[in-house]
Amino acid sequence: MAEAAIPISQTALLLCDLQNDFVHSDGAYGRAGYTAAAIAAIPARLKPLADAMRAKGGWIASTHFTLFTGKGGEPWIDPHLKAMRPFLKKGDFVMGGWGHQVVEELAPSDLPVEKVGYDAFYQTRLEWVLRKAGIRKLLVSGIVTNGGVASTVRGAHVREFEVTVLEDACAAFTEGLHSTAIEALRPVAKISTIAEELAKLP
C-alpha cells in the first residue's frame, strides 16, 4: 500500500539564505557587484508558491547566514570566507539588521533560523523548531545550489525529513554549478519545480 502524502500543514517551504545582503542590489553582495541574474530572479518567481503555502496552511521557514560579532561590533569572519569575500565588513549579515532579513517579496518567515555555515542544521535550532511545528516535509529553495542548499538538503535527508528541491527556485553563481549540484542531489531528494508544487496544493 502506498504511503499517504504528507499534508500541507506538515510541510514547509524552506528559504535558504534568501536575505537582503545576498540578493538585494543594496545588500552586501550587490554593493560589491557580486551578483547573478539567476539569483536575483528567485524572489519574484517563488512568491506565488510562498503566498499559496501561507493561504493553505503551510509553513515558511528560513535560514539566515549570520556574521556574529565581538566587542565593538566587529564581525567574526572565518579566514576561508574572508579570502573568498574580502568585501564583507562590519554591519553585514548582522542579526537584527536589514541585510540579515528575508527579502521583502518572500517575508515574513514563520520559522527564521540563523546559521554560521553551509548546512543550516549544523549548530542551529532548525531541526528543533521543525519538529516542534510538526513539519515532516521540506520544499527547498534558495542559494547557492552548490553550497548552502546542497549541504542543508543532505542534512535534512539524514534526519529523515521528506525533501523536495525546487530546481527553478534555487540558483548558483553559474548555471554549470547549479545544474551539477541538482544532479548530485537526486539520490537524496526529489527534484521538482515551482509550477509542479503549486499544482499539487489542495
Side-chain angles (χ1 to χ4, degrees), residues 7 20 33 35-37 40 47 65-66 69 80 84-85 91 104 107 114 117 123-124 132 147 151 179 182 192 196 198:
N20 288 317
T35 61
K47 179 175 170 53
F65 175 69
T66 306
T69 58
H80 83 279
M84 287 193 304
R85 308 288 187 259
E104 184 177 358
E114 67 274 7
Q123 294 187 342
T124 78
K132 281 291 185 181
S151 297
S179 58
I182 289 292
S192 187
E196 288 171 342
L198 274 169

Side-chain angles (χ1 to χ4, degrees), residues 147-194:
V149 171
S151 297
T152 299
V153 166
R154 290 188 172 91
H157 171 72
V158 300
R159 289 167 176 83
E160 299 186 343
F161 289 95
E162 182 178 305
V163 187
T164 296
V165 177
L166 302 174
E167 184 174 6
D168 57 347
C170 299
F173 284 102
T174 71
E175 179 56 33
L177 288 171
H178 169 73
S179 58
T180 298
I182 289 292
E183 289 307 308
L185 289 173
R186 289 187 186 277
V188 297
K190 298 176 183 177
I191 307 299
S192 187
T193 66
I194 295 167

Side-chain angles (χ1 to χ4, degrees), residues 111-131:
L111 304 170
V113 174
E114 67 274 7
K115 70 184 186 91
V116 296
Y118 295 116
D119 181 357
F121 289 95
Y122 174 69
Q123 294 187 342
T124 78
R125 63 181 182 274
L126 180 58
E127 181 176 9
W128 187 85
V129 298
L130 293 176
R131 302 288 187 203

Side-chain angles (χ1 to χ4, degrees):
M1 187 172 69
E3 188 174 337
I6 294 174
I8 191 168
S9 62
Q10 297 175 14
T11 302
L13 173 61
L14 181 61
L15 313 175
C16 289
D17 303 354
L18 291 174
Q19 302 162 252
N20 288 317
D21 265 339
F22 276 130
V23 180
H24 197 283
S25 59
D26 293 331
Y29 275 53
R31 294 192 308 268
Y34 205 86
T35 61
I39 290 174
I42 290 175
R45 184 183 300 138
L46 186 55
K47 179 175 170 53
L49 180 58
D51 290 346
M53 288 286 293
R54 291 187 185 95
K56 295 179 180 295
W59 295 81
I60 306 295
S62 57
T63 70
H64 299 247
F65 175 69
T66 306
L67 290 178
F68 289 95
T69 58
K71 291 183 178 180
E74 290 299 326
W76 291 327
I77 304 177
D78 289 342
H80 83 279
L81 179 59
K82 189 66 175 175
M84 287 193 304
R85 308 288 187 259
F87 55 82
L88 292 175
K89 64 182 189 330
K90 184 176 179 178
D92 293 340
F93 294 99
V94 66
M95 284 185 63
W98 171 84
H100 190 257
Q101 297 170 8
V102 171
V103 293
E104 184 177 358
E105 296 98 317
L106 300 174
S109 169
D110 302 309
L111 304 170
V113 174
E114 67 274 7
K115 70 184 186 91
V116 296
Y118 295 116
D119 181 357
F121 289 95
Y122 174 69
Q123 294 187 342
T124 78
R125 63 181 182 274
L126 180 58
E127 181 176 9
W128 187 85
V129 298
L130 293 176
R131 302 288 187 203
K132 281 291 185 181
I135 293 166
R136 297 162 54 206
K137 178 179 179 179
L138 297 174
L139 304 177
V140 181
S141 63
I143 60 170
V144 289
T145 321
N146 57 307
V149 171
S151 297
T152 299
V153 166
R154 290 188 172 91
H157 171 72
V158 300
R159 289 167 176 83
E160 299 186 343
F161 289 95
E162 182 178 305
V163 187
T164 296
V165 177
L166 302 174
E167 184 174 6
D168 57 347
C170 299
F173 284 102
T174 71
E175 179 56 33
L177 288 171
H178 169 73
S179 58
T180 298
I182 289 292
E183 289 307 308
L185 289 173
R186 289 187 186 277
V188 297
K190 298 176 183 177
I191 307 299
S192 187
T193 66
I194 295 167
E196 288 171 342
E197 295 308 312
L198 274 169
K200 294 176 186 176
L201 292 180

